[in-house]
Every structure is written in structure tokens, then in C-alpha cells.
Amino acid sequence: MYRLFLALRYLLTRPINLLSIGGITISVWALVVVVSVFSGYLHVVEQHVRTASADAAVIGLPPWAEWSRLSKVLRDDPNVAAAAPRLAHYGMLQRPGQRPPPAPLPGRGALIGGDQPFLSVIGIDPAAELETTGFAGWLVAPEVPPALRCADPAAPLAPRDGRPTVLIGLERMQREGLAPGDRVVLTTAALDTAPDGDKAPRKVQLELTVGGAFKTAHAGFDGNTVFVALDTLRHELYGERDDFVPEIAVRVRDERQLDATVERLERAVQAATERDSRGFGRVLTWRQKHELYLGNVAHQRGLLKIVLIVIMVVAAFLMLATLSMMVTEKTGDIGILAAMGGTPLGVTTVFLSCGLVITGVGIVLGLGSGTLTAVYLEEIRQGVRWATGVDLLKVDVYGLDRVPCYLEPVWMLEVAGMALLTGLVVSALPALRAAFHDPLVSLRGS
Amino acid sequence: MSTSPPVLAAEGVEKHFRLGRRDIPVLRGVDLQIHAGEKVALLGASGAGKSTLLHLLGLLDKPSGGRVLYDGAPVHDLPVAERARLRHQQVGFVFQFYHLIPELTALQNVLLARMMATSVLGYWGQRKQARAAAKALLEQVGLGDRLHHRPAELSGGERQRVAIARALLAEPKVVLADEPTGNLDSTTAKGVVDLMFSIQQERGLAFLLVTHDEGLAGRCDRVVRMRDGVVVA
């Protein structure tokens, strides 16, 4: 009983211990709030990527891959609902007679996109695409003003004014001041193979008419992507190979079986493209396809955790200093505790309890305040903006309408565990010093 | 003198301290017996080994040689936890510098002695009796109106009275007092000694008093004189 009693008395009579509690609270708070916001952001990004992606994608198909054959192979799978051929290429878009805009400054990212000249040019079969992805919804998204919508969403890439059409992301359309019916030039390159096997790049310029804008939830996709008709792009890049398909988008019936379906499809595709006993092509889930991008965001969250853990280390040093001071002050008590029947283990427990109480209170306060802050962060942000005019978190930079937050119970438990372990280690050092203090030294002195 | 085994005994107790390579003998074969209800004064000059002997008898330290016996049983070589338990059950200490815990009130300082050997739940079950016993002791030592005062708010004599009450709460058989009046003026010292002796007589405690004061020693049943680590008379 005396251990806990003394520990509490020592703590309550020393206001400096509030510093230690504050340190642990702040570190736990920061780990909860910042990681919750980042997890929320990751969650939102995943949702955005998901809305702009097919359930699965067949990629890396060889030059002899034929849509007529592969589409049948894919549709034979019981979980495949639809498939659409795609041709993903790259290029730059500019008005006729103008040069493309300059390349971005070094380090300038394309998170939202639309602020750099290089584009992902995707050739699609609109009819198949409408069945396979959210393409139909992107064309009639409420954010797209009527003036920028394509004339016929059922045939969005129908030639206009005798030219093939192009669908452009809403942000890029607005920034470039483009409207349906405007003429643009797509500049890209094809790689031709000569009869002797040598490969040489060939400049390709394609005059297009803007068909309209599209809008997904994934701003990065919208800003960096344009859609053109598959036949047009394939003809410009690969000539007369009308049945060639380098990539296929797939929609599944039951997303819960996506992983198993993807494995099955990969085996089927590789069997269909086998040459010299080697299968070609890979089938990826939407998550696997965007693994690098999503992994980058998750990696940044991991780095942030490490940075934030430094706050906990600082708090630990603060606690070590205050507990060490306390032990130095209280060595006089160690003698009388021994005389009354205390053991070195008991003395250790007194000071260990001090540290653990500090840590426990800090963890509870940190988790509580962190959870409240994370849940009401948007309201706090708006309150601060209303009171001071300062926007703490400019969410529109990330294409969001509010501060995202996703509280992860496992992470909160990990934070509590980390804090507890840190508190235990930091308390153990001064507590052991107290245990090794000779009680007779205290009893002999005044 | 009683024919029953002494409550507390030292047989040929030796203690050496190492100072670098030197081995310094502090006690050289001390024999001492204290019976229940007996007041023994341990008299000697500074450095004679009085406090060291008291610490050995109170199981705060281990002798380099010889034996310490409680009720005839050797206890000097018991494990740390067992010696702590015996210390709590059998011995009450009173020190020159009181050694009260400044964060606690007089009542809490006394109650601490009861808390030493009980768990949180165990203490919770007996807290009312413990508080009553501690209050009764503080009232007995004349501090019934100072229960909630902290040591800094008490005089030297009052602090020593709290220390005496604390030493007695666990109902020990032996009280070891190391110069309990060394820090008090003569009037206060006399009051403290009178109080200690009356309680000793009332409870039949074995009492070992370490002192420089011949007058105080003269009030004990027996005086043991030490010089250079040996008992000389």
C-alpha cells in the first residue's frame, strides 16, 4: 500500500510533474491527431483512386495480344462482368500553332495535375468503357458545367467536325480555357521497328476536337489524363494492327472475390498469350496497379510517425529529468522506509509507480484530447479561420472538401503501448538508482 | 533480570568497512543482550560504533562476523525480504533527525508504518482501525490537535513525538533509538524522554537508547559503554 500512497503523494506535491504529464500528453496527442489525419487522407486518396480505376487491369500484354481472343478468355471467368480494351500512352496537348507549355520546375509534383504539359493519353472503346468503369458518371459529374459537357454522353468520342475528339479533365479544361468544339493538337511519339529489327522513334501529331470534360474524384487522374478513341490512337501508333490490345480494364461481379479472380485471370491470360512456353501479361487489382502511389502516401505517413516519435523521446527525457530530480530529493526518505520494513524492491516500486502514474495520466489525456481533436479538426479549422482568418490546413490543395480523419484503434493502442514502454524504461532508471541507494547513508545524514 | 531468552542479542558481532584497500574494523566482537521491558543505554564517544551496532541489531545492515538473534533465533543472515519483514514486525526506530516524510501529515507519517506490510486491498479493509490506532498514538504523545500538520509546521519536539508514534504503531517488541534527543533543547528533550520511557514501561518494550548524554543514560536500567568498537563496561 505504501508504494502507491507515497508515489501519489510525491506526485501531487510536485507541480513539476505536470511538465512530464504534459510532455507525454502532447506526444500521444500529436501521434493520434497527425496520424489520424494522414490515415484519413490515405483513406480518401484510396477512395479517389478507386473511383477512377477499373476493378482490375490486364497490363503488359505482348504485341501479338488480340482483343477478340482475350476478351473471350476474360468473359469466360464467372466473376468477370465486363471488360474494355485500353491503350495507355503519353503525350502533350496544345492549341494549334502554339508550343506546349514548359516542363514543370524541378520538384514540382503533379498531385492534382494539370499544371505540367505531360499527359497520360488513354485510348478507349467508349461503349465497352461505359460498361466496365465509372466512365459514364465521370462525363456527367455535377461539377462539370453544362457548357463543358460532351454533347452525347452515350457516344462521347464520336468524331466532330471531321476530326477525332478528345475528353479532357475538368481542371485542365478550365485552366487552359478550352471548351467543347475547340481544336487541339496531341503530340506524341511512336516506336517503329524497321525490317532489320532496328527501332526508331517517330513523331506523331494528331489534330483533335475537344469533345468535353470529365471529372472523377481523383484530381491527379483528371489533371493528367485525356481520353481519345482507341481505334484512332492505335492506328497512329501501331498502324493496321486493328485487333491489338496492350491493356484491358475489367469489372468484376463480386469485389470480395477480386484477389482470387485476378489470380485466375492472370493464369488464363498467360495461357492465351503463351509463346515459347512463356506466358505474358499481368493482371492487377486496382490497388496493386496503384501500389506505388498509395505506397508513397503510406510511406510518408510512416516517416511522419518516426518524426512524431521524436516528440515522445523528448517527453521521455523530460520525465527522466524530473524523476531523477525527485529521486535525488527523496533519498532521505529511503532510509526511513528501509527502517520501517521497506525493501529495495519496494523503494523501486515507489518511484516506478510515480513514472507509471505520470505515463498513464499522460496517455489517457493524450488519447482523449487527440481523439476529440481528430474528430472535430474540421470544426476547429473553421473556428480558427473564422476567428483569425488563418487557414491551418488548406484542404483544397489536396482536392478535399474537409480535413480527413480516420481513427485507427490499433494505432491508438500502439501509441499507448509505446508511451507505456517509454514511461516504464524512463521510470526504471531513477527507480533503480533509488533501490541501490544505501539506506544507512540517509539515516546517518541529517 | 528475566530468565527468558533475550528479545534481542548480539553475539561476537563484528563489522568492518573497506576504504579503498584498507579494512577498517568498526565493531570487534560485541556481545549484548536486551530483555523485554528492559531499558539499555549505549554510551560512547563518536566513532565508538554505537550507531553501527544499532543498525546491525535493527537488521538494517549485515555483520561481518558474529550473530544477531531475535528471541534466541539467528536473524542476521536472513534474505533481504525476510529481514525487512522482521524489522517491520519487531523493531521500531527513532532517529536523531526524525526522518519524517515532508509530504505527509503527522497522521499520514504514522499511518505509513501500517501501510508498509499491507496490500492496497488489505489496507482498505482495515483503514478505519488503522486511522483510529494512529490517532490514539498521536493523542498519547500529545499531538491530538496536530494530526493534519506537516513536519514543516511542527517543532523539533513535536516531530520527534510523531516519530515515536510512528515507531510504535506496528507494535514492535524492541525500540531502537539513535540519539533521539540529540537535536532538541534540554526542556524538550526531557519531555520526549519522559514520554518514551512511560510508553516503554506501559508496553513492556525492550529499549536500546544510543546517547552521549550521561544523565539520560543514568535513567536507564543498564548502561553499556563502548570504546573503539568493543563493549568496555
Side-chain angles (χ1 to χ4, degrees), chain A residues 14-27:
Chain A
R14 283 175 177 68
I16 196 166
N17 289 313
L18 290 173
L19 269 182
S20 302
I21 292 175
I24 297 288
T25 302
I26 288 171
S27 62

Side-chain angles (χ1 to χ4, degrees), chain B residues 45-63:
Chain B
S46 290
K50 307 183 298 293
S51 293
T52 302
L53 179 60
L54 184 127
H55 294 151
L56 293 174
L57 292 173
L59 303 180
L60 283 167
D61 203 359
K62 279 190 171 182

Side-chain angles (χ1 to χ4, degrees), chain A residues 211-446:
Chain A
F214 66 90
K215 171 80 183 161
T216 70
H218 184 15
F221 180 79
D222 294 356
N224 295 309
T225 307
V226 295
F227 290 106
V228 295
L230 174 67
D231 292 343
T232 306
L233 190 61
R234 185 166 51 196
H235 180 76
E236 292 295 332
L237 297 176
Y238 301 108
E240 300 304 320
R241 292 160 57 190
D242 290 342
D243 203 24
F244 169 58
V245 60
E247 189 173 320
I248 302 171
V250 177
R251 180 163 68 86
V252 295
R253 296 179 202 281
D254 183 358
E255 200 175 335
R256 289 169 301 181
Q257 297 177 31
L258 184 59
D259 291 336
T261 306
V262 159
E263 282 178 25
R264 271 200 314 273
L265 291 181
E266 184 159 299
R267 282 196 298 272
V269 166
Q270 290 191 351
T273 58
E274 188 176 314
R275 187 168 283 189
D276 299 334
S277 304
R278 185 185 157 203
F280 292 84
R282 293 193 62 202
V283 184
L284 304 176
T285 64
W286 67 271
R287 192 183 289 278
Q288 288 169 332
K289 191 174 180 201
H290 298 283
E291 197 172 21
L292 191 62
Y293 176 57
L294 296 175
N296 273 340
V297 181
H299 181 63
Q300 284 175 37
R301 184 179 57 170
L303 289 175
L304 205 62
K305 284 179 181 175
I306 294 171
V307 171
L308 291 171
I309 286 169
V310 172
I311 301 178
M312 190 172 278
V313 173
V314 173
F317 275 108
L318 190 65
M319 192 166 137
L320 180 66
T322 51
L323 284 178
S324 295
M325 270 196 300
M326 186 196 288
V327 168
T328 305
E329 264 180 60
K330 301 315 294 177
T331 48
D333 294 355
I334 292 170
I336 193 61
L337 289 176
M340 285 195 293
T343 58
L345 179 64
V347 171
T348 307
T349 315
V350 170
F351 294 101
L352 201 58
S353 302
C354 287
L356 290 180
V357 169
I358 289 173
T359 311
V361 173
I363 289 172
V364 169
L365 290 177
L367 287 181
S369 58
T371 304
L372 284 175
T373 308
V375 169
Y376 292 106
L377 194 55
E378 176 61 23
E379 286 74 10
I380 294 169
R381 170 186 162 247
Q382 291 191 12
V384 171
R385 197 169 58 172
W386 174 79
T388 66
V390 176
D391 193 352
L392 294 174
L393 299 155
K394 293 186 185 297
V395 290
D396 51 339
V397 172
Y398 301 97
L400 307 172
D401 54 0
R402 59 175 288 126
V403 181
C405 164
Y406 182 71
L407 283 167
E408 293 177 332
V410 172
W411 169 244
M412 290 171 78
L413 283 176
E414 283 174 2
V415 169
M418 263 190 302
L420 199 61
L421 188 67
T422 308
L424 190 68
V425 171
V426 165
S427 314
L429 298 173
L432 286 173
R433 185 160 70 87
F436 286 116
H437 180 78
D438 184 355
L440 294 177
V441 172
S442 308
L443 293 172
R444 285 191 194 108
S446 60

Side-chain angles (χ1 to χ4, degrees), chain B residues 158-182:
Chain B
E158 287 173 328
R159 289 182 204 182
Q160 197 58 294
R161 284 162 191 263
V162 175
I164 291 167
R166 180 180 62 188
L168 296 173
L169 187 72
E171 298 178 355
K173 289 183 179 176
V174 183
V175 171
L176 303 176
D178 192 358
E179 302 192 37
T181 58

Side-chain angles (χ1 to χ4, degrees), chain B residues 127-187:
Chain B
R127 68 191 187 287
K128 284 182 182 164
Q129 299 95 301
R131 278 181 76 86
K135 274 184 184 176
L137 268 172
L138 283 167
E139 277 163 13
Q140 190 178 1
V141 299
L143 293 173
D145 57 341
R146 314 283 273 169
L147 298 178
H148 303 295
H149 289 245
R150 292 201 175 168
E153 298 161 343
L154 300 172
S155 68
E158 287 173 328
R159 289 182 204 182
Q160 197 58 294
R161 284 162 191 263
V162 175
I164 291 167
R166 180 180 62 188
L168 296 173
L169 187 72
E171 298 178 355
K173 289 183 179 176
V174 183
V175 171
L176 303 176
D178 192 358
E179 302 192 37
T181 58
N183 219 23
L184 304 175
D185 62 76
S186 57
T187 313

